Amino acid sequence: MKKVKKNMMNEKVILTDVDGVLLDWVYAFTQWMERHKYQEVENGETEYDIGLRYGMETELEKERVVRMFNESAWIRKLPPLRDAIKYVRKLHEEHGYVFRVISSLSTDTYAGHLRTKNLNEMFGPTVFESFVYLDTGADKDEALLPYEGTGCFWIEDKPENALLGRKLGLESILVDHPFNKNSFVGDMPRAKNWKEIYEFIVGQ
């Protein structure tokens, strides 16, 4: 991958995860799991790991179930997370920001196509400049490396990925969820919703 140089364009680029950031993956996944007769364990909502959340016995079962969901037709209709639509559009339409997606969804071509359709339909056809779909649960090191030192904003809900972005010189913002409330991320900004992300970005 080519390294992206710091320039005026990159000051208007926001890198973003999708699940738990733009779209409410957990809500849809919970509905899907109930249809497949899975039940969360007590206080399961505080666990990021789906295997722990549902008391699965093996890593293989967890990976199989998450991949099945991510490659299903449900990915086409995930709802937006909280107030994402309003403030993502404001950043794009009123302030000129464009978004680049980096999502550990699946390498299945059709799953990626469904996700792109979902995002463009809800947020608008000009908001997203590019889409990078990594394998289910994949690390994001390689996808973020081209942006090292650019200072681009990086919006994530997984603390490890947000910390990785900071290590690479990005402006990471962690989206709050029950499963990351107690994760240590130092003085990294946390946001309960996109209104707070918007205010942080435009206030720079």
Side-chain angles (χ1 to χ4, degrees):
M1 291 185 177
K2 291 183 178 179
K3 188 164 183 177
V4 180
K5 294 181 179 179
K6 177 73 172 176
N7 55 37
M8 289 302 292
M9 179 193 72
N10 291 321
E11 292 177 3
K12 290 294 185 179
V13 168
I14 297 173
L15 309 175
T16 183
D17 183 25
V18 175
D19 298 311
V21 174
L22 296 172
L23 303 178
D24 198 341
W25 185 92
V26 168
Y27 172 81
F29 182 71
T30 301
Q31 306 302 309
W32 185 85
M33 288 292 275
E34 288 177 359
R35 290 172 63 95
H36 288 79
K37 310 304 181 186
Y38 283 91
Q39 293 295 324
E40 282 189 5
V41 301
E42 187 175 358
N43 297 319
E45 70 278 1
T46 63
E47 297 287 352
Y48 177 83
D49 187 295
I50 293 301
L52 297 176
R53 183 178 287 228
Y54 286 91
M56 295 179 183
E57 295 183 358
T58 67
E59 192 76 9
L60 186 63
E61 182 184 9
K62 177 191 78 173
E63 293 176 358
R64 179 184 64 82
V65 168
V66 173
R67 185 179 298 278
M68 281 178 61
F69 176 75
N70 282 358
E71 294 178 356
S72 75
W74 284 61
I75 288 298
R76 174 66 177 85
K77 290 294 183 179
L78 264 59
L81 182 76
R82 304 167 191 166
D83 55 354
I85 290 178
K86 176 179 178 178
Y87 289 98
V88 165
R89 285 181 175 173
K90 280 176 70 71
L91 284 165
H92 176 61
E93 295 168 5
E94 298 178 17
H95 300 277
Y97 283 95
V98 292
F99 290 74
R100 295 183 184 177
V101 164
I102 300 175
S103 172
S104 299
L105 171 73
S106 169
T107 55
D108 181 88
T109 301
Y110 297 104
H113 176 72
L114 293 178
R115 164 140 294 178
T116 300
K117 294 275 285 185
N118 189 197
L119 289 169
N120 283 337
E121 184 177 274
M122 283 196 295
F123 292 91
T126 62
V127 168
F128 300 103
E129 192 173 64
S130 64
F131 303 87
V132 173
Y133 297 130
L134 308 171
D135 202 7
T136 308
D139 293 333
K140 296 182 178 176
D141 304 58
E142 186 176 346
L144 289 176
L145 193 58
Y147 297 96
E148 183 176 9
T150 60
C152 288
F153 289 104
W154 167 228
I155 320 299
E156 251 286 358
D157 68 322
K158 186 176 180 180
E160 293 87 344
N161 289 333
L163 287 167
L164 170 64
R166 169 168 280 194
K167 181 180 177 181
L168 293 173
L170 305 178
E171 287 283 346
S172 296
I173 301 174
L174 185 71
V175 179
D176 264 333
H177 288 276
F179 57 74
N180 67 26
K181 282 287 186 186
N182 298 319
S183 300
F184 177 74
V185 290
D187 61 349
M188 183 186 301
R190 286 177 175 265
K192 296 191 297 289
N193 49 46
W194 270 90
K195 181 176 186 290
E196 292 186 356
I197 295 172
Y198 171 85
E199 290 172 349
F200 183 85
I201 290 175
V202 300
Q204 295 294 296

